[in-house]
mmCIF file of all heavy atoms in Angstrom:
data_model
loop_
_atom_site.group_PDB
_atom_site.id
_atom_site.type_symbol
_atom_site.label_atom_id
_atom_site.label_comp_id
_atom_site.label_asym_id
_atom_site.label_seq_id
_atom_site.Cartn_x
_atom_site.Cartn_y
_atom_site.Cartn_z
ATOM 1 N N THR R 92 -12.509 15.991 1.736
ATOM 2 C CA THR R 92 -13.034 17.372 1.918
ATOM 3 C C THR R 92 -12.684 17.964 3.298
ATOM 4 O O THR R 92 -12.348 19.076 3.270
ATOM 5 C CB THR R 92 -14.443 17.343 1.563
ATOM 6 O OG1 THR R 92 -15.224 16.466 2.472
ATOM 7 C CG2 THR R 92 -14.829 16.813 0.189
ATOM 8 N N CYS R 93 -12.810 17.101 4.352
ATOM 9 C CA CYS R 93 -12.579 17.695 5.550
ATOM 10 C C CYS R 93 -10.985 17.983 5.760
ATOM 11 O O CYS R 93 -10.742 19.114 6.318
ATOM 12 C CB CYS R 93 -12.837 16.602 6.713
ATOM 13 S SG CYS R 93 -14.711 16.374 6.999
ATOM 14 N N ALA R 94 -10.134 17.257 5.168
ATOM 15 C CA ALA R 94 -8.834 17.600 5.162
ATOM 16 C C ALA R 94 -8.439 18.713 4.521
ATOM 17 O O ALA R 94 -7.699 19.688 4.834
ATOM 18 C CB ALA R 94 -7.891 16.409 4.687
ATOM 19 N N LEU R 95 -9.090 19.023 3.332
ATOM 20 C CA LEU R 95 -8.962 20.155 2.463
ATOM 21 C C LEU R 95 -9.352 21.342 3.221
ATOM 22 O O LEU R 95 -8.696 22.440 3.288
ATOM 23 C CB LEU R 95 -9.671 20.107 1.148
ATOM 24 C CG LEU R 95 -9.074 19.076 0.117
ATOM 25 C CD1 LEU R 95 -10.075 18.831 -0.889
ATOM 26 C CD2 LEU R 95 -7.833 19.645 -0.467
ATOM 27 N N GLU R 96 -10.430 21.217 3.942
ATOM 28 C CA GLU R 96 -10.925 22.511 4.716
ATOM 29 C C GLU R 96 -10.098 22.794 5.839
ATOM 30 O O GLU R 96 -10.020 23.949 6.238
ATOM 31 C CB GLU R 96 -12.411 22.095 5.183
ATOM 32 C CG GLU R 96 -13.493 22.071 4.096
ATOM 33 C CD GLU R 96 -14.806 21.646 4.498
ATOM 34 O OE1 GLU R 96 -15.014 21.322 5.669
ATOM 35 O OE2 GLU R 96 -15.681 21.588 3.584
ATOM 36 N N ARG R 97 -9.483 21.740 6.471
ATOM 37 C CA ARG R 97 -8.539 22.095 7.555
ATOM 38 C C ARG R 97 -7.312 22.895 6.912
ATOM 39 O O ARG R 97 -6.548 23.413 7.673
ATOM 40 C CB ARG R 97 -8.012 20.880 8.244
ATOM 41 C CG ARG R 97 -9.077 20.173 9.141
ATOM 42 C CD ARG R 97 -8.596 19.116 9.994
ATOM 43 N NE ARG R 97 -8.162 18.001 9.285
ATOM 44 C CZ ARG R 97 -8.941 16.949 8.981
ATOM 45 N NH1 ARG R 97 -10.167 16.938 9.272
ATOM 46 N NH2 ARG R 97 -8.441 15.917 8.369
ATOM 47 N N CYS R 98 -7.069 22.725 5.632
ATOM 48 C CA CYS R 98 -5.930 23.447 5.025
ATOM 49 C C CYS R 98 -6.344 24.755 4.499
ATOM 50 O O CYS R 98 -5.608 25.463 3.750
ATOM 51 C CB CYS R 98 -5.303 22.565 3.900
ATOM 52 S SG CYS R 98 -4.550 21.133 4.464
ATOM 53 N N GLY R 99 -7.617 25.221 4.662
ATOM 54 C CA GLY R 99 -8.093 26.531 4.187
ATOM 55 C C GLY R 99 -8.817 26.450 2.935
ATOM 56 O O GLY R 99 -9.179 27.584 2.397
ATOM 57 N N TYR R 100 -9.123 25.245 2.351
ATOM 58 C CA TYR R 100 -9.868 25.130 1.159
ATOM 59 C C TYR R 100 -11.345 25.161 1.345
ATOM 60 O O TYR R 100 -11.818 24.943 2.495
ATOM 61 C CB TYR R 100 -9.557 23.970 0.372
ATOM 62 C CG TYR R 100 -8.230 23.964 -0.384
ATOM 63 C CD1 TYR R 100 -7.069 23.862 0.564
ATOM 64 C CD2 TYR R 100 -8.085 24.046 -1.640
ATOM 65 C CE1 TYR R 100 -5.762 23.938 -0.146
ATOM 66 C CE2 TYR R 100 -6.837 24.055 -2.291
ATOM 67 C CZ TYR R 100 -5.711 23.913 -1.551
ATOM 68 O OH TYR R 100 -4.528 23.970 -2.144
ATOM 69 N N VAL R 101 -12.155 25.774 0.392
ATOM 70 C CA VAL R 101 -13.552 25.892 0.581
ATOM 71 C C VAL R 101 -14.271 25.181 -0.579
ATOM 72 O O VAL R 101 -13.655 25.186 -1.679
ATOM 73 C CB VAL R 101 -14.093 27.316 0.701
ATOM 74 C CG1 VAL R 101 -13.579 27.960 1.967
ATOM 75 C CG2 VAL R 101 -13.642 28.056 -0.520
ATOM 76 N N GLU R 102 -15.461 24.791 -0.324
ATOM 77 C CA GLU R 102 -16.286 24.179 -1.582
ATOM 78 C C GLU R 102 -16.935 25.264 -2.490
ATOM 79 O O GLU R 102 -17.542 26.244 -1.850
ATOM 80 C CB GLU R 102 -17.342 23.321 -1.050
ATOM 81 C CG GLU R 102 -18.124 22.530 -2.130
ATOM 82 C CD GLU R 102 -19.045 21.468 -1.640
ATOM 83 O OE1 GLU R 102 -19.393 21.392 -0.409
ATOM 84 O OE2 GLU R 102 -19.549 20.742 -2.483
ATOM 85 N N ASP R 103 -16.573 25.330 -3.580
ATOM 86 C CA ASP R 103 -16.946 26.329 -4.412
ATOM 87 C C ASP R 103 -17.095 25.634 -5.979
ATOM 88 O O ASP R 103 -16.080 25.462 -6.575
ATOM 89 C CB ASP R 103 -16.064 27.546 -4.539
ATOM 90 C CG ASP R 103 -16.661 28.741 -5.259
ATOM 91 O OD1 ASP R 103 -17.605 28.521 -6.083
ATOM 92 O OD2 ASP R 103 -16.157 29.818 -5.126
ATOM 93 N N ARG R 104 -18.194 25.584 -6.514
ATOM 94 C CA ARG R 104 -18.356 24.887 -7.804
ATOM 95 C C ARG R 104 -18.017 25.761 -8.951
ATOM 96 O O ARG R 104 -17.743 25.374 -10.115
ATOM 97 C CB ARG R 104 -19.857 24.492 -8.075
ATOM 98 C CG ARG R 104 -20.306 23.480 -6.936
ATOM 99 C CD ARG R 104 -21.572 22.666 -7.440
ATOM 100 N NE ARG R 104 -21.305 21.810 -8.643
ATOM 101 C CZ ARG R 104 -20.729 20.742 -8.530
ATOM 102 N NH1 ARG R 104 -20.346 20.178 -7.320
ATOM 103 N NH2 ARG R 104 -20.371 19.855 -9.612
ATOM 104 N N SER R 105 -17.802 27.115 -8.654
ATOM 105 C CA SER R 105 -17.409 27.913 -9.748
ATOM 106 C C SER R 105 -15.852 27.810 -9.927
ATOM 107 O O SER R 105 -15.271 28.328 -10.827
ATOM 108 C CB SER R 105 -17.700 29.415 -9.428
ATOM 109 O OG SER R 105 -17.165 29.884 -8.317
ATOM 110 N N GLY R 106 -15.111 27.202 -9.062
ATOM 111 C CA GLY R 106 -13.662 27.012 -9.204
ATOM 112 C C GLY R 106 -12.981 28.210 -8.567
ATOM 113 O O GLY R 106 -13.455 29.066 -8.017
ATOM 114 N N GLY R 107 -11.663 28.309 -8.893
ATOM 115 C CA GLY R 107 -10.820 29.368 -8.258
ATOM 116 C C GLY R 107 -9.841 28.783 -7.369
ATOM 117 O O GLY R 107 -10.127 27.630 -6.688
ATOM 118 N N ARG R 108 -8.665 29.275 -7.192
ATOM 119 C CA ARG R 108 -7.579 28.791 -6.429
ATOM 120 C C ARG R 108 -8.157 28.675 -4.956
ATOM 121 O O ARG R 108 -8.896 29.579 -4.383
ATOM 122 C CB ARG R 108 -6.390 29.562 -6.462
ATOM 123 C CG ARG R 108 -5.692 29.583 -7.802
ATOM 124 C CD ARG R 108 -4.374 30.347 -7.624
ATOM 125 N NE ARG R 108 -3.726 30.407 -8.985
ATOM 126 C CZ ARG R 108 -2.624 31.005 -9.176
ATOM 127 N NH1 ARG R 108 -1.785 31.473 -8.270
ATOM 128 N NH2 ARG R 108 -2.142 31.082 -10.527
ATOM 129 N N GLY R 109 -7.806 27.622 -4.417
ATOM 130 C CA GLY R 109 -8.230 27.336 -2.955
ATOM 131 C C GLY R 109 -9.558 26.753 -2.791
ATOM 132 O O GLY R 109 -10.242 26.877 -1.759
ATOM 133 N N THR R 110 -10.097 26.082 -3.850
ATOM 134 C CA THR R 110 -11.418 25.550 -3.830
ATOM 135 C C THR R 110 -11.510 24.125 -4.169
ATOM 136 O O THR R 110 -10.549 23.631 -4.782
ATOM 137 C CB THR R 110 -12.441 26.280 -4.739
ATOM 138 O OG1 THR R 110 -12.125 26.177 -6.079
ATOM 139 C CG2 THR R 110 -12.434 27.916 -4.381
ATOM 140 N N TYR R 111 -12.633 23.432 -3.861
ATOM 141 C CA TYR R 111 -12.811 21.993 -4.250
ATOM 142 C C TYR R 111 -14.327 21.831 -4.646
ATOM 143 O O TYR R 111 -15.105 22.781 -4.233
ATOM 144 C CB TYR R 111 -12.361 21.113 -3.164
ATOM 145 C CG TYR R 111 -13.257 20.839 -2.035
ATOM 146 C CD1 TYR R 111 -14.388 20.228 -2.038
ATOM 147 C CD2 TYR R 111 -13.043 21.752 -0.935
ATOM 148 C CE1 TYR R 111 -15.284 20.170 -1.004
ATOM 149 C CE2 TYR R 111 -13.803 21.766 0.137
ATOM 150 C CZ TYR R 111 -14.960 20.941 0.143
ATOM 151 O OH TYR R 111 -15.887 20.920 1.175
ATOM 152 N N LYS R 112 -14.600 20.787 -5.337
ATOM 153 C CA LYS R 112 -16.016 20.476 -5.595
ATOM 154 C C LYS R 112 -16.070 19.026 -5.699
ATOM 155 O O LYS R 112 -15.262 18.307 -6.240
ATOM 156 C CB LYS R 112 -16.483 21.207 -6.941
ATOM 157 C CG LYS R 112 -15.725 20.929 -8.209
ATOM 158 C CD LYS R 112 -16.234 21.785 -9.374
ATOM 159 C CE LYS R 112 -15.435 21.543 -10.581
ATOM 160 N NZ LYS R 112 -15.843 22.331 -11.759
ATOM 161 N N MET R 113 -17.318 18.622 -5.400
ATOM 162 C CA MET R 113 -17.637 17.047 -5.615
ATOM 163 C C MET R 113 -18.255 16.898 -6.961
ATOM 164 O O MET R 113 -18.958 17.773 -7.510
ATOM 165 C CB MET R 113 -18.623 16.648 -4.568
ATOM 166 C CG MET R 113 -18.151 16.725 -3.109
ATOM 167 S SD MET R 113 -16.901 15.488 -2.755
ATOM 168 C CE MET R 113 -17.911 13.997 -2.878
ATOM 169 N N GLN R 114 -17.909 15.802 -7.638
ATOM 170 C CA GLN R 114 -18.309 15.543 -9.063
ATOM 171 C C GLN R 114 -18.654 13.998 -9.082
ATOM 172 O O GLN R 114 -17.995 13.177 -8.473
ATOM 173 C CB GLN R 114 -17.388 15.893 -10.095
ATOM 174 C CG GLN R 114 -17.313 17.420 -10.317
ATOM 175 C CD GLN R 114 -16.502 17.790 -11.583
ATOM 176 O OE1 GLN R 114 -15.694 17.057 -12.041
ATOM 177 N NE2 GLN R 114 -16.840 19.010 -12.103
ATOM 178 N N HIS R 115 -19.644 13.748 -9.980
ATOM 179 C CA HIS R 115 -19.995 12.366 -10.275
ATOM 180 C C HIS R 115 -19.836 12.284 -11.852
ATOM 181 O O HIS R 115 -20.615 12.736 -12.646
ATOM 182 C CB HIS R 115 -21.367 11.956 -9.772
ATOM 183 C CG HIS R 115 -21.826 10.561 -10.067
ATOM 184 N ND1 HIS R 115 -23.097 10.050 -9.833
ATOM 185 C CD2 HIS R 115 -20.974 9.476 -10.492
ATOM 186 C CE1 HIS R 115 -22.963 8.779 -9.977
ATOM 187 N NE2 HIS R 115 -21.788 8.385 -10.376
ATOM 188 N N ASP R 116 -18.864 11.492 -12.225
ATOM 189 C CA ASP R 116 -18.582 11.245 -13.589
ATOM 190 C C ASP R 116 -19.480 10.167 -14.018
ATOM 191 O O ASP R 116 -19.195 8.899 -13.876
ATOM 192 C CB ASP R 116 -17.056 10.834 -13.845
ATOM 193 C CG ASP R 116 -16.707 10.756 -15.255
ATOM 194 O OD1 ASP R 116 -17.677 10.410 -16.073
ATOM 195 O OD2 ASP R 116 -15.596 10.995 -15.683
ATOM 196 N N THR R 117 -20.606 10.486 -14.558
ATOM 197 C CA THR R 117 -21.529 9.477 -15.015
ATOM 198 C C THR R 117 -21.068 8.526 -16.048
ATOM 199 O O THR R 117 -21.426 7.233 -16.196
ATOM 200 C CB THR R 117 -22.984 10.086 -15.441
ATOM 201 O OG1 THR R 117 -22.701 11.022 -16.538
ATOM 202 C CG2 THR R 117 -23.626 10.929 -14.224
ATOM 203 N N GLY R 118 -20.247 9.083 -16.914
ATOM 204 C CA GLY R 118 -19.621 8.228 -18.055
ATOM 205 C C GLY R 118 -18.775 7.079 -17.559
ATOM 206 O O GLY R 118 -19.004 6.028 -18.024
ATOM 207 N N LYS R 119 -17.963 7.341 -16.548
ATOM 208 C CA LYS R 119 -17.063 6.371 -16.024
ATOM 209 C C LYS R 119 -17.628 5.860 -14.761
ATOM 210 O O LYS R 119 -17.095 4.861 -14.162
ATOM 211 C CB LYS R 119 -15.699 6.840 -15.765
ATOM 212 C CG LYS R 119 -14.981 7.405 -17.012
ATOM 213 C CD LYS R 119 -13.599 8.040 -16.655
ATOM 214 C CE LYS R 119 -12.904 8.533 -17.893
ATOM 215 N NZ LYS R 119 -11.591 9.161 -17.488
ATOM 216 N N ASN R 120 -18.836 6.424 -14.246
ATOM 217 C CA ASN R 120 -19.469 5.973 -13.016
ATOM 218 C C ASN R 120 -18.412 6.058 -11.866
ATOM 219 O O ASN R 120 -18.349 5.151 -11.033
ATOM 220 C CB ASN R 120 -19.951 4.559 -13.139
ATOM 221 C CG ASN R 120 -21.072 4.346 -12.228
ATOM 222 O OD1 ASN R 120 -21.673 5.249 -11.530
ATOM 223 N ND2 ASN R 120 -21.434 3.110 -12.079
ATOM 224 N N LEU R 121 -17.742 7.246 -11.768
ATOM 225 C CA LEU R 121 -16.820 7.514 -10.567
ATOM 226 C C LEU R 121 -17.319 8.702 -9.825
ATOM 227 O O LEU R 121 -17.803 9.710 -10.403
ATOM 228 C CB LEU R 121 -15.410 7.727 -11.185
ATOM 229 C CG LEU R 121 -14.825 6.477 -11.900
ATOM 230 C CD1 LEU R 121 -13.442 6.864 -12.506
ATOM 231 C CD2 LEU R 121 -14.561 5.324 -11.041
ATOM 232 N N LYS R 122 -17.047 8.726 -8.508
ATOM 233 C CA LYS R 122 -17.228 9.845 -7.701
ATOM 234 C C LYS R 122 -15.830 10.432 -7.494
ATOM 235 O O LYS R 122 -14.902 9.670 -7.034
ATOM 236 C CB LYS R 122 -17.910 9.340 -6.451
ATOM 237 C CG LYS R 122 -19.301 8.831 -6.548
ATOM 238 C CD LYS R 122 -19.919 8.483 -5.182
ATOM 239 C CE LYS R 122 -21.284 7.936 -5.375
ATOM 240 N NZ LYS R 122 -21.912 7.517 -4.204
ATOM 241 N N THR R 123 -15.756 11.702 -7.665
ATOM 242 C CA THR R 123 -14.520 12.419 -7.435
ATOM 243 C C THR R 123 -14.614 13.693 -6.659
ATOM 244 O O THR R 123 -15.625 14.336 -6.516
ATOM 245 C CB THR R 123 -13.854 12.802 -8.964
ATOM 246 O OG1 THR R 123 -14.799 13.743 -9.546
ATOM 247 C CG2 THR R 123 -13.698 11.544 -9.794
ATOM 248 N N VAL R 124 -13.415 14.129 -6.190
ATOM 249 C CA VAL R 124 -13.263 15.431 -5.673
ATOM 250 C C VAL R 124 -12.225 16.178 -6.497
ATOM 251 O O VAL R 124 -11.104 15.754 -6.645
ATOM 252 C CB VAL R 124 -12.805 15.416 -4.109
ATOM 253 C CG1 VAL R 124 -12.630 16.724 -3.586
ATOM 254 C CG2 VAL R 124 -13.770 14.589 -3.251
ATOM 255 N N VAL R 125 -12.576 17.281 -6.990
ATOM 256 C CA VAL R 125 -11.725 17.979 -7.908
ATOM 257 C C VAL R 125 -11.233 19.321 -7.183
ATOM 258 O O VAL R 125 -12.018 20.097 -6.605
ATOM 259 C CB VAL R 125 -12.528 18.504 -9.171
ATOM 260 C CG1 VAL R 125 -11.514 19.272 -10.077
ATOM 261 C CG2 VAL R 125 -13.080 17.352 -9.875
#
Side-chain angles (χ1 to χ4, degrees):
T92 56
C93 287
L95 286 169
E96 289 173 1
R97 288 193 292 272
C98 294
Y100 285 71
V101 295
E102 184 172 12
D103 187 346
R104 300 200 64 80
S105 63
R108 292 188 189 180
T110 66
Y111 72 86
K112 59 183 176 181
M113 300 286 296
Q114 283 190 337
H115 186 186
D116 187 333
T117 55
K119 298 179 180 178
N120 203 11
L121 297 175
K122 294 180 181 179
T123 62
V124 177
V125 181

